[in-house]
Amino acid sequence: KVVSPSSYRISRILSVLLPARAPYWRTACSTAITMRWDCSVEVLNAAEAPPFPVNERADQVAENTRLQYRYLDIRRERMQRNIRLRASVNSAIRRAMEEQGFVEVETPMLVPSTPEGAREFIVPSRQQPGSFYALPQSPQLFKQLLMVAGIDRYYQIARCLRDEDLRADRQYEFMQLDAEMSFVSQDDVHRAIGNAVVAAARAAGQEPGEIVKITWHEAMNRFGVDKPDLRFGIELTELTDVFAGTEFKAFAGAACIKGINAVGKADDYGRNKLDAMTYKAKKMGAKGLVWLKVTADGFDSPVAKFLSETESAALRSTFNAVAGDLILIVADEWMTPCEVLGQLRNDIGRPPVHEGPYRYLWVVDFPLFEWNEEEKRWDAEHHPFTMPHHEDIPLLDTDPGKVRALCYDLVCNGLEMASGSIRIHRSDIQAKVFNLLGISEEDQSDRFGHILDAFAYGAPPHGGIA
Ligand code: ASP
């Protein structure tokens, strides 16, 4: 019952020295010390005063300092929590994958160059001067070889290395859940990965709702991006018909006219902000951006006088617009209004990324190719092994730009979480795709010879994701 001043000091010292990672030990010690105030303390090792407080106040410390003393930074409760959370998520993923019959295989780190398109890190070979290993940008080729090898449900939490510019969600080295399955449709892949994602989300304390599915075309059409954030409205609306016979020059004859209604935002956007938005729209390729602030009796907008009464009324009713709303319109070929308004929609309405609820979706049916205007050739949208949609195979000969791919992304709150495809397992289709991508026969055997050889021995239909 007697608490001595020195035991109080000791328990304070213990709480500094033994942070969250040893909570039981800390409680046990201070209890022991409180009860037996005559106990002695043995110093196991003397320590310097840390260069910053080992608590939440370290969040204010310069990041470089935290990184230099990472071992002290990680003593903090928040960092401890993050690392433990990551471990629980990985463990939940492993359990979910194993329960579904997936086999974990670790693929090599010193590899020949792989053809996925990211810049690779290379390692000089000591034994063969002048030759280099690549570090894997992903285990793509290995997992496809594993399908030929009969490991028909493979997974790995794989380390990948890409020598690409840093971004908020991208660094040189990262881990991904990497999986591949034989004899599957894309729905089978979605189901298996959906189960792992739900398990991972639950391990992180989230309860994700249903994972909905939309096509790439619908995503672009309604949200203007291929990774839509479903947490807010402001959907893109088709206005081409509204302005079908218009005399307003900026809209007349346009292939596609689309708009968004930023409900109640008119007052938030003064002249400077609207100019900045217009500048951004033009930088993205639009000829201009039309803005209209909805007022009680019409529009406050430099273009209001060019719209007929019927057009103005149709515009209001299409958007159910009321005073205080802000309508933005772009007219051009289909892709430009989509992309420009998609960006503006995100700028205007997107909540901070960590804010729930968590809205997951699959985006499917991406185009197989993307036209590279600079190089005047087709690029693979995903990678050269992506299977075209069965119905679209004839279009490879006639209209490659229209071919849809059996390719899919998992998106959460506007972020791409995963990406994958059903692969080409037939050499005739593969040859056609290589030709369209402008990869010569010599290049094909140089770069992909090992996988093409393997495919000659009965590659099963397969697909995967990471
Ligand atoms: N290899 C791809 C990637 O790392 C994913 C996949 O297609 O499975 O992004």
Side-chain angles (χ1 to χ4, degrees):
K1 293 281 183 269
V2 185
V3 179
S4 80
S6 61
S7 75
Y8 171 73
R9 267 197 72 205
I10 288 165
S11 76
R12 287 270 304 169
I13 291 166
L14 284 171
S15 71
V16 172
L17 290 180
L18 304 168
R21 86 189 124 98
Y24 306 115
W25 210 78
R26 188 165 73 196
T27 318
C29 284
S30 33
T31 311
I33 289 160
T34 314
M35 292 174 69
R36 293 200 51 220
W37 55 274
D38 60 341
C39 76
S40 63
V41 167
E42 181 190 350
V43 175
L44 294 175
N45 200 352
E48 297 292 329
F52 53 81
V54 184
N55 57 30
E56 72 285 356
R57 268 179 290 151
D59 287 338
Q60 310 324 312
V61 174
E63 192 170 35
N64 278 348
T65 312
R66 285 178 52 203
L67 291 173
Q68 184 185 348
Y69 297 97
R70 198 55 153 174
Y71 43 87
L72 300 180
D73 191 37
I74 293 177
R75 281 186 190 171
R76 301 190 301 127
E77 204 158 330
R78 182 164 76 88
M79 301 302 286
Q80 290 273 321
R81 215 183 318 121
N82 289 349
I83 286 181
R84 280 158 209 281
L85 172 62
R86 189 175 192 281
S88 329
V89 165
N90 278 356
S91 152
I93 290 175
R94 287 209 165 85
R95 228 173 306 129
M97 295 305 278
E98 273 151 30
E99 275 165 14
Q100 300 181 91
F102 284 82
V103 177
E104 183 173 3
V105 181
E106 287 163 23
T107 50
M109 291 300 281
L110 293 171
V111 301
S113 188
T114 49
E116 279 189 81
R119 191 186 298 273
E120 289 162 328
F121 284 102
I122 53 171
V123 180
S125 156
R126 181 177 59 85
Q127 302 277 18
Q128 297 187 42
S131 294
F132 297 84
Y133 300 98
L135 297 177
Q137 54 180 290
S138 92
Q140 185 64 33
L141 290 187
F142 289 106
K143 65 178 173 178
Q144 293 195 243
L145 293 176
L146 283 168
M147 296 304 107
V148 182
I151 306 293
D152 58 4
R153 284 186 165 218
Y154 142 90
Y155 91 99
Q156 171 183 201
I157 298 186
R159 191 170 290 275
C160 301
L161 297 117
R162 298 182 187 176
D163 187 5
E164 306 236 290
D165 293 346
L166 299 170
R167 288 197 227 152
D169 60 350
R170 209 162 276 198
Q171 51 186 333
Y172 302 138
E173 185 179 341
F174 62 92
M175 316 282 290
Q176 64 186 17
L177 165 61
D178 193 67
E180 196 76 10
M181 306 163 80
S182 286
F183 305 106
V184 286
S185 66
Q186 60 177 4
D187 287 343
D188 297 319
V189 178
H190 297 171
R191 210 168 301 120
I193 296 304
N195 290 337
V197 166
V198 168
R202 285 192 181 139
Q206 299 174 15
E207 190 46 63
E210 189 203 352
I211 308 184
V212 296
K213 209 170 277 198
I214 71 174
T215 64
W216 172 86
H217 191 272
E218 185 183 347
M220 293 305 294
N221 223 13
R222 287 174 55 196
F223 305 101
V225 286
D226 58 7
K227 30 180 171 296
D229 190 331
L230 300 185
R231 289 173 299 170
F232 65 102
I234 324 187
E235 286 193 25
L236 278 54
T237 301
E238 190 62 45
L239 300 172
T240 317
D241 285 347
V242 172
F243 295 106
T246 189
E247 297 193 347
F248 177 38
K249 268 215 221 94
F251 292 170
C256 173
I257 306 175
K258 279 180 173 290
I260 53 177
N261 181 13
V263 175
K265 296 277 188 193
D267 288 346
D268 299 349
Y269 285 81
R271 213 40 203 253
N272 285 348
K273 279 191 180 173
L274 291 166
D275 286 349
M277 267 205 287
T278 308
Y279 177 75
K280 184 167 188 174
K282 285 186 177 164
K283 252 188 112 179
M284 289 185 70
K287 293 185 196 82
L289 174 74
V290 166
W291 58 262
L292 303 117
K293 292 184 174 185
V294 183
T295 59
D297 47 6
F299 294 120
D300 165 13
S301 162
V303 309
K305 55 181 177 293
F306 301 118
L307 306 184
S308 72
E309 245 169 61
T310 332
E311 286 164 357
S312 299
L315 199 54
R316 288 180 85 106
S317 72
T318 306
F319 281 119
N320 281 326
V322 295
D325 290 356
L326 170 66
I327 294 175
L328 302 169
I329 304 177
V330 176
D332 213 306
E333 295 296 324
W334 178 73
M335 191 61 128
T336 306
C338 292
E339 286 185 334
V340 170
L341 293 170
Q343 261 315 312
L344 299 180
R345 170 182 183 267
N346 273 348
D347 292 349
I348 293 168
R350 191 159 173 224
V353 96
H354 296 101
E355 219 166 76
Y358 295 90
R359 299 286 303 274
Y360 289 84
L361 70 152
W362 290 105
V363 180
V364 301
D365 295 352
F366 280 77
L368 187 63
F369 302 111
E370 196 179 17
W371 181 247
N372 183 332
E373 188 53 45
E374 248 165 58
E375 314 245 331
K376 302 276 179 242
R377 63 170 165 81
W378 295 107
D379 283 339
E381 167 86 31
H382 188 52
H383 52 56
F385 302 114
T386 305
M387 181 69 114
H389 231 279
H390 301 298
E391 301 141 37
D392 294 355
I393 290 176
L395 292 173
L396 287 173
D397 296 318
T398 55
D399 196 354
K402 286 233 164 68
V403 179
R404 292 165 301 160
L406 289 177
C407 161
Y408 33 80
D409 277 2
L410 177 68
V411 173
C412 175
N413 292 6
L415 293 177
E416 177 191 322
M417 309 285 285
S419 178
S421 59
I422 298 297
R423 326 295 182 187
I424 300 175
H425 64 280
R426 270 173 45 188
S427 55
D428 55 333
I429 302 177
Q430 187 68 72
K432 238 175 217 171
V433 169
F434 279 151
N435 284 341
L436 280 163
L437 294 173
I439 302 173
S440 69
E441 254 167 55
E442 196 186 339
D443 248 14
Q444 290 175 27
S445 71
D446 259 16
R447 288 165 63 193
F448 314 114
H450 46 309
I451 191 152
L452 297 178
D453 287 350
F455 277 15
Y457 294 92
H462 60 285
I465 190 162

